[in-house]
Amino acid sequence: MRSALIWLVRLCSLAAWVAAAVACVWLLGATAMARPWHQPFVWGAVAVGCAVTRVVALWVLRGEPKADGFTDEFWVRLRTGALWALVAFSSAVLAAALLTSSNAGGKLDALRDAGAEVSTATVMERQSTREELSDGVVKGYASRLVVSVPGGAERLTVRGAYTYEKPGKGTEVDVLWARSDPGLGGYVNESKDLPTLAGNRWKAFQDDELGTGSLIAFIVVALIGTVLTPVFTFVPDADGLQEVAWSAPFQTARTALAVLVFWGWSPLMLGSQPSVPQTLVAVGGFCLILLGYVLTSLRGFD
């Protein structure tokens, strides 16, 4: 019975690691696609389920396994390094994904459902406009426009059109619109990669302003995780690492953290409206993971 539980813990650890890694890879590029994002949600659910099963088995075991081929220092440090590599990667993905969400209310998804395409349109009328400021500097303009699409809609309404320069009559803009339903209006945003959004294609870092920002966020957070990985893999004593890995209380805390982050991100992946607590968890998810694993790894230094 004990031997079976030990192997259950090990297999659940491996399955959770793989599922979490796949979920993060999907999430990194799914933000260019219409919701719901089923793939990262399903893989995330598998990872959480395996983690919970592992914790239950650890509470039943109440102790470390006897010495075998998987308890020597090499395997302990390899396992710890793999875990921290996943922590670094997943934290970086969550930070990047926050900046590249393509959701523009329900309008963008409605356009894609109706067969959206990108066309170069001509502004026929600017009904209103306002400056978009950042630290007191004008970064762009949000306007309500009426545009004409050659070979398509003669008068297409675009609300909240974002452009770097103030549009006027005769200005050409790229617009995302649905030929089958012009009544949906159009979508104009010069800071986003409209062809990628129209094609509903998986793309890790879009060719636009937000894509650049998400890449920078990914690199910065990944570097922090990369620095922490060798510290928590090679500095602590191997016995301390083994104790933490098989400690039911410590692993329960880590699993609760994973469940919390998955709960916070679930509405964003499924396209539903998140609650305020879920929004806070989603925004701070990458910090929660890094800090949570740092705090639960300090025991290994004793």
Side-chain angles (χ1 to χ4, degrees), residues 173-282:
V173 294
D174 288 334
V175 60
L176 188 67
W177 69 296
R179 190 178 297 273
S180 64
D181 192 356
L184 290 173
Y187 179 75
V188 173
N189 192 326
E190 292 186 344
S191 71
K192 293 192 175 183
D193 182 2
L194 295 187
T196 297
L197 298 183
N200 201 28
R201 299 192 303 270
W202 188 97
K203 191 169 186 178
F205 300 104
Q206 301 173 45
D207 300 326
D208 55 27
E209 188 177 89
L210 292 180
T212 301
S214 68
L215 177 60
I216 293 173
F218 179 86
I219 292 174
V220 170
V221 178
L223 283 176
I224 295 173
T226 301
V227 171
L228 293 174
T229 295
V231 172
F232 285 98
T233 300
F234 297 108
V235 175
D237 183 81
D239 291 337
L241 293 176
Q242 180 74 345
E243 180 182 350
V244 171
W246 290 87
S247 168
F250 278 101
Q251 296 307 315
T252 298
R254 288 180 172 179
T255 300
L257 180 63
V259 172
L260 179 65
V261 172
F262 181 73
W263 170 76
W265 270 87
S266 291
L268 298 179
M269 290 187 284
L270 295 178
S272 58
Q273 184 64 37
S275 64
V276 173
Q278 286 176 312
T279 301
L280 294 176
V281 169

Side-chain angles (χ1 to χ4, degrees), residues 9-171:
V9 169
R10 288 170 172 168
L11 291 175
C12 283
S13 298
L14 178 60
W17 191 97
V18 172
V22 174
C24 288
V25 170
W26 263 107
L27 185 60
L28 189 61
T31 52
M33 302 171 67
R35 291 181 177 86
W37 303 331
H38 287 133
Q39 291 88 348
F41 179 81
V42 171
W43 282 103
V46 171
V48 168
C50 290
V52 171
T53 302
R54 176 176 180 270
V55 164
V56 172
L58 285 173
W59 278 107
V60 176
L61 273 173
R62 288 287 193 159
E64 301 176 29
K66 294 180 180 180
D68 61 17
F70 293 98
T71 59
D72 60 27
E73 183 173 351
F74 171 78
W75 283 106
V76 170
R77 296 199 184 278
L78 178 64
R79 179 185 65 216
T80 304
L83 173 64
W84 271 97
L86 179 61
V87 169
F89 178 64
S90 60
S91 300
V93 167
L94 292 180
L98 280 174
L99 298 178
T100 52
S101 173
S102 63
N103 189 37
K107 181 176 182 178
L108 189 53
D109 288 346
L111 287 171
R112 284 188 284 205
D113 289 342
E117 61 183 86
V118 180
S119 301
T120 299
T122 302
V123 176
M124 305 297 293
E125 180 183 351
R126 188 185 74 227
Q127 298 178 340
S128 64
T129 190
R130 71 174 186 276
E131 296 178 342
E132 293 289 312
L133 303 176
S134 177
D135 297 327
V137 178
V138 178
K139 295 296 184 181
Y141 299 86
S143 309
R144 179 187 173 99
L145 305 175
V146 176
V147 302
S148 175
V149 180
E154 294 184 359
R155 292 182 63 84
L156 188 71
T157 302
V158 181
R159 296 178 177 84
Y162 179 79
T163 56
Y164 293 122
E165 302 293 335
K166 182 182 293 187
K169 186 174 182 179
T171 300

